[in-house]
Amino acid sequence: MRLPGGCASKCVVETFSRRIFGSYFHVWGRRGCNTAAFMPEAAGFGAVSHRAALQEFSVSSSGTFWAAVAQQRLSWISPFHTVQDCDLSRGKIQWFVGGKLNVSVNCLDRHVHTCPERVALIWERDEPGSEVKVTYRSLLEMTCRVGNLLRRRGVKRGDCVTIYMPPCPLAVASMLACARIGAAHNVVFAGFSAEALAERIRDAQSSTIITVNQGVRGGKVTDCPTVRQVFVAMRTENPVVMTARDVAMEEEMLKEDVVCEPAAMDSEDVLFLLYTSGSTGKPKGLVHTQAGYLLYAALTQRYVFNYHDGDVFGCVADIGWITGHSYSVYGPLANGGTTVLFESTPIYPDPGRYWEMVQRLKINQFYGAPTAIRLLLKYGDQWVHKYDRSSLKTLGSVGEPINTEAWEWYHSVVGDGRCPVVDTWWQTETGGICIAPRPSDPDAEIVPGMAMRPFFGIKPVLMDTEGEVVTFNNTTGALCIAQPWPGMARTIHNDHQRYFETYCQPYPGYFFTGDGAYRSKEGYYQITGRLDDVINVSGHRIGTAEIEDVVNQCSAVAESAVIGYSHDIKGQGVYVFVVLKKSVEIQEADLSRQLNDMVSKKIAKYACPDCIQFVQRLPKTRSGKIMRRVLRKVVECELNGLGDLSTLDDPAAVQEIIQGHHDLLSKQQPR
Ligand code: WTA
C-alpha cells in the first residue's frame, strides 16, 4: 500500500522511479522478488537481490533508501524537499527537511480509517487477568479529548508537558495528545523520586504536568516554580488532596470534544525530550524530533522482530524509558499494531507472570530485559512450562549485555528452541535499535549474546586508542556510527554544546556511542560495555557521578567514589567507597542506611548502593584525580591487573582498599 503524500528531493525521486521501471522486472530473479516482498521499497533500489545487499544499499545510498521508506510508510501533510541535511562533525542533523506531518495522525487516524476496531493497546494491569483493551477508534477519541483539554488550558505548540505516569492508556493518549497539538512531551519514569522529577521538570521548563493520583504526588512538584497546572488521573479509588493547581483529568476530559485538529508539524520540530544519565552528575534531556524518529521506530519494530499485521507485540519496558517510547508506543502504533502496556513486575503474583500473560494475550513478540530473564531463570523452568507459549515467534532482549546462560535459557526454555532471540543494542540517543541479529536471511545464524548485525542505514565502526578506524576483524574498539540515521537524537535540551562534546567531538565526523564493542572474525558485533562513567543497573542507566553527588551531600562524608561491579541478577551493582570526615563518629550500619535513604529520595530506588566500603583514603594521582580504574579492578577481584600504579600519590592506599574489600566480601558476600 502506498500512502498519500511524500516526495523526496527531485534527484532522489527521479532515481527512484527510473530504478523501479528500469530494473525491477528485468534484472531481478526469484530472490529479487523475495526481497521486494520482504520490503516493497526495495523494488526501486536496482539490483538488490538479497537481504544483505539491501543492508549495504541502505548504507551506501542512504538518501535513496530513507526517502523511499519515508514516502511509503509515513503519511505526510506536505512532502519533504530534502532527504537529509546532516554534518556529524558539527553536530547538525536534519532529516526530511521541508516535510510536514502529524505523528498522532500517523499513529492513529490512518489506522482508524482502515481498521477502527483493531486493538491498539492491551493494558496489562498489575492484577493478572484484568487487562483492558483499547481500540484504535477509542485511543484516537481519548487522545483528542486530552489534546483539546491541554489546548483549552493554554498548552501551545512548542510547550513541554511532563508526564509522570506508569504505563497505562491515558499515558499513551497524553503522549499522543502532545504530538497532536505540537507540544513536546517529557515522560519521567514513575520510579524516579520527587527530587529527580523536580529536576527534570525545571530543566525542561515544563509548566504542565500529567500524573496519577496514587503515590506521593502531593510532594512531588512542590518546589518547581515553572509548574502552573497538574492534571491528575485516577489510577485508584484513593482520594488525594487536590490543590488549586490540580485538575481532575478524567472529569475534564469528558467535557471535551472527540475531534481535535492535528497541528501540521515540521519534520524537525521537537517530538519529545527524554532524560537519561551521562557521565556528569546532571541528567541530559535528549531531544527527538518528529518524522525521523517515528520512521526509525516503526521500521525497526517491524523488521527486527518480524512483526506482521495481526500480531500482538509485548514489550514489557516501562514507558518512562526509551524502550517504552519506541517499542510500546510509537513503533507499534505507527505500524497499526497491537501493543501491550505492562504495568506489573516479572514476579508478581509469581514468577510465571510473563508466561501466563503470553498465554492469555497470545503474545507473538516478547521484548524484555536480561536482568528479568536472569531473575526468572533462578526460579526454575516449571514456571515457564506451566503455560502455553506457542504464540511466541520472536524473543527480544535489550538494555544490557545478555550473558550466554540467560540467552540459552530464554531460547531453549522460554522459546522451546523455536524462536529467534534478538539481542538488540541501542540507546536513548539512537532512538531505535541499531544492531540486532535480525533482519537477516531467515535461517542466518544467531550467536548467543551477540547483537551481531547493523540495521538498515547503520554503519558501525570501531576506533582504536589513537582515534583511527580499525578495519580488521576479531578486534575491539570504541563503537561509533559512521553516518547519520533518521532516529538519532538531535541535541540535548538547552545544551547543544554538551551534545556536541559527548557524541561528535571525540571522533570527528562520527557519532560516538560511549560503548565499547568487539567485532568477530565473521564481522559480527558484540557490545562489551560502557567506556565512560555510566553504569547499567538492572538495565537502567545511571551515572556514577550522580550517585556520588548525593553521597557527598551527607554531612559525615568527606568524599566518595562509585563503581559498577558485576552482579549476577542486576548485571551491575552499585559499589560505593566512602571516606568519612575526620571528626565523625557514626556507626557504619547507620550511615549505610542513611546513604540508602538519601539515594532513593534524591534519585530512585534502583540507584541505591549494593555495597558500601568505608576507607581512609581513595587512590589518587598526584594531580588529585581518583583512580577509578584501580577501584574497579579491586571490586572485580582482578588484583593481578591493577596496572601501572606509579602515578599514584600514595600506593599504600590501594593495599588498604584491597584488604577492606576482602573483609567486606567475607562479611556480606555482596555478589
Ligand atoms: C547498554 C536502552 C549490551 C549500552 C535501549 C547502551 C546494551 C546503554 C544493549 C543504553 C545490548 C543497551 N547489549 N549493552 N543489547 N542495549 N545496552 O539509553 O551500554 O537506557 O549504551 O537505552 O545500555 O541505555 P539506554
Side-chain angles (χ1 to χ4, degrees):
M1 180 188 64
R2 202 177 166 84
L3 295 158
C7 172
S9 62
K10 198 160 160 274
C11 147
V12 171
V13 173
E14 278 170 8
T15 325
F16 186 54
S17 18
R18 188 162 10 96
R19 285 192 172 148
I20 289 183
F21 298 113
S23 56
Y24 178 41
F25 298 107
H26 307 296
V27 179
W28 286 18
R30 218 171 54 82
R31 297 194 63 176
C33 293
N34 285 343
T35 313
F38 171 68
M39 178 179 273
E41 296 90 333
F45 298 155
V48 177
S49 59
H50 53 94
R51 294 186 191 183
L54 187 56
Q55 205 286 333
E56 282 156 29
F57 181 87
S58 72
V59 170
S60 61
S61 305
S62 84
T64 311
F65 178 86
W66 288 114
V69 174
Q71 287 175 47
Q72 175 85 5
R73 289 168 199 261
L74 295 180
S75 234
W76 295 89
I77 296 168
S78 47
F80 50 91
H81 53 68
T82 303
V83 184
Q84 58 169 307
D85 182 8
C86 303
D87 181 354
L88 271 180
S89 65
R90 290 195 298 128
K92 179 187 174 197
I93 317 291
Q94 296 194 326
W95 284 88
F96 312 119
V97 185
K100 286 193 191 297
L101 78 172
N102 185 280
V103 165
S104 79
V105 169
N106 275 275
C107 290
L108 300 172
D109 305 50
R110 60 175 175 164
H111 311 310
V112 171
H113 288 139
T114 54
C115 47
E117 300 313 321
R118 181 182 291 175
V119 173
L121 307 176
I122 305 178
W123 182 22
E124 173 69 3
R125 289 159 26 114
D126 202 33
E127 289 308 320
S130 70
E131 74 272 13
V132 173
K133 295 186 174 170
V134 181
T135 63
Y136 273 94
R137 184 206 298 277
S138 63
L139 185 58
L140 175 59
E141 280 187 16
M142 208 190 292
T143 300
C144 285
R145 286 181 194 272
V146 180
N148 288 329
L149 176 59
L150 293 173
R151 265 193 187 138
R152 179 160 63 84
R153 293 283 182 149
V155 177
K156 295 194 184 55
R157 185 178 172 136
D159 288 352
C160 177
V161 175
T162 296
I163 300 173
Y164 185 65
M165 293 170 119
C168 60
L170 205 46
V172 175
S174 300
M175 293 163 79
L176 294 170
C178 290
R180 195 157 193 94
I181 66 171
H185 59 69
N186 167 34
V187 181
V188 178
F189 171 54
F192 273 119
S193 69
E195 292 192 31
L197 169 64
E199 184 181 2
R200 285 157 178 76
I201 292 172
R202 277 193 299 263
D203 191 82
Q205 296 141 304
S206 205
S207 61
T208 300
I209 319 295
I210 305 179
T211 189
V212 287
N213 65 323
Q214 208 179 24
V216 280
R217 182 206 57 81
K220 277 183 174 145
V221 288
T222 42
D223 53 353
C224 289
T226 53
V227 173
R228 195 164 50 80
Q229 56 188 347
V230 181
F231 294 98
V232 184
M234 299 297 283
R235 170 61 183 88
T236 65
E237 312 275 286
N238 300 340
V240 289
V241 180
M242 302 281 274
T243 69
R245 218 171 30 187
D246 298 342
V247 181
M249 189 166 180
E250 288 96 337
E251 244 176 81
E252 291 299 309
M253 277 171 66
L254 285 177
K255 300 179 190 160
E256 299 294 340
D257 196 11
V258 295
V259 176
C260 173
E261 179 64 23
M265 303 302 289
D266 290 331
S267 294
E268 285 299 331
D269 282 334
V270 176
L271 178 61
F272 65 84
L273 270 55
L274 187 61
Y275 282 84
T276 189
S277 295
S279 48
T280 72
K282 189 172 153 30
K284 46 196 176 186
L286 286 159
V287 173
H288 283 282
T289 55
Q290 314 265 328
Y293 168 79
L294 186 66
L295 181 66
Y296 197 74
L299 202 72
T300 47
Q301 194 257 341
R302 192 171 279 284
Y303 284 98
V304 172
F305 299 97
N306 195 21
Y307 184 85
H308 285 92
D309 277 355
D311 285 349
V312 176
F313 191 76
C315 167
V316 291
D318 192 283
I319 52 156
W321 306 111
I322 191 69
T323 308
H325 280 58
S326 301
Y327 300 110
S328 289
V329 181
Y330 287 112
L333 295 181
N335 287 327
T338 298
T339 176
V340 174
L341 297 171
F342 184 68
E343 195 188 36
S344 196
T345 79
I347 51 170
Y348 180 77
D350 60 46
R353 177 59 186 264
Y354 279 167
W355 326 121
E356 184 274 326
M357 172 178 77
V358 164
Q359 171 182 298
R360 180 164 34 84
L361 305 182
K362 301 197 172 43
I363 288 174
N364 301 110
Q365 290 84 13
F366 181 87
Y367 193 25
T371 184
I373 303 301
R374 285 192 295 266
L375 178 69
L376 296 178
L377 182 159
K378 292 205 185 300
Y379 283 98
D381 301 0
Q382 70 278 14
W383 291 106
V384 186
H385 290 152
K386 243 176 117 174
Y387 301 103
D388 176 10
R389 288 149 286 111
S390 57
S391 58
L392 287 173
K393 295 194 284 190
T394 307
L395 297 171
S397 159
V398 60
E400 48 170 325
I402 179 162
N403 49 309
T404 315
E405 187 193 8
W407 192 100
E408 295 287 0
W409 187 79
Y410 203 22
H411 181 250
S412 61
V413 179
V414 176
D416 283 328
R418 288 181 305 107
C419 310
V421 172
V422 289
D423 171 10
T424 63
W425 174 84
W426 60 296
Q427 316 177 296
T428 307
E429 291 84 344
T430 69
I433 295 162
C434 288
I435 307 183
R438 296 285 189 262
S440 52
D441 283 321
D443 48 1
E445 70 168 329
I446 297 185
V447 183
M450 266 200 166
M452 301 183 76
R453 304 180 175 94
F455 189 70
F456 299 127
I458 299 295
K459 186 178 177 188
V461 290
L462 299 181
M463 299 290 182
D464 64 18
T465 45
E466 312 292 298
E468 299 295 327
V469 175
V470 189
T471 51
F472 45 91
N473 285 353
N474 192 17
T475 187
T476 56
L479 178 65
C480 291
I481 300 179
Q483 60 190 40
W485 65 102
M488 67 190 296
R490 305 298 195 252
T491 187
I492 290 173
H493 179 66
N494 271 342
D495 201 350
H496 192 66
Q497 186 60 23
R498 185 174 179 192
Y499 177 91
F500 176 76
E501 284 168 10
T502 311
Y503 308 113
C504 306
Q505 207 173 37
Y507 302 95
Y510 297 85
F511 174 86
F512 175 47
T513 66
D515 280 320
Y518 164 72
R519 187 167 55 223
S520 72
K521 292 200 295 296
E522 300 80 9
Y524 302 143
Y525 289 88
Q526 179 171 38
I527 308 306
T528 51
R530 298 290 307 188
L531 300 173
D532 55 11
D533 291 320
V534 172
I535 60 176
N536 198 319
V537 180
S538 306
H540 302 330
R541 255 167 91 158
I542 182 80
T544 53
E546 275 175 84
I547 304 175
E548 284 167 13
D549 281 358
V550 173
V551 171
N552 294 345
Q553 282 170 31
C554 175
S555 56
V557 172
E559 62 176 342
S560 67
V562 172
I563 302 292
Y565 71 98
S566 317
H567 186 288
D568 60 0
I569 303 275
K570 298 183 185 185
Q572 283 190 296
V574 177
Y575 196 109
V576 187
F577 291 92
V578 172
V579 180
L580 292 177
K581 284 184 185 153
K582 284 277 172 303
S583 53
V584 166
E585 280 192 25
I586 184 165
Q587 290 288 321
E588 292 187 353
D590 291 341
L591 188 65
S592 295
R593 219 170 299 121
Q594 203 176 322
L595 293 178
N596 261 295
D597 287 351
M598 287 176 71
V599 174
S600 101
K601 195 159 154 285
K602 289 184 186 287
I603 307 176
K605 279 220 171 66
Y606 77 82
C608 283
D610 294 282
C611 206
I612 301 179
Q613 183 179 343
F614 294 91
V615 296
Q616 295 298 323
R617 59 213 143 145
L618 293 168
K620 289 190 182 166
T621 61
R622 284 188 201 101
S623 60
K625 274 186 83 156
I626 298 172
M627 289 186 79
R628 286 158 195 289
R629 170 177 62 80
V630 173
L631 294 174
R632 245 177 254 132
K633 295 284 181 195
V634 172
V635 298
E636 294 294 2
C637 300
E638 291 173 20
L639 299 184
N640 294 331
L642 285 178
D644 178 16
L645 300 181
S646 60
T647 54
L648 268 182
D649 183 33
D650 177 8
V654 180
Q655 286 316 316
E656 219 174 86
I657 285 170
I658 294 173
Q659 186 59 45
H661 175 249
H662 181 81
D663 296 348
L664 201 61
L665 269 190
S666 46
K667 247 196 295 176
Q668 48 169 239
Q669 291 293 326
R671 60 195 76 203

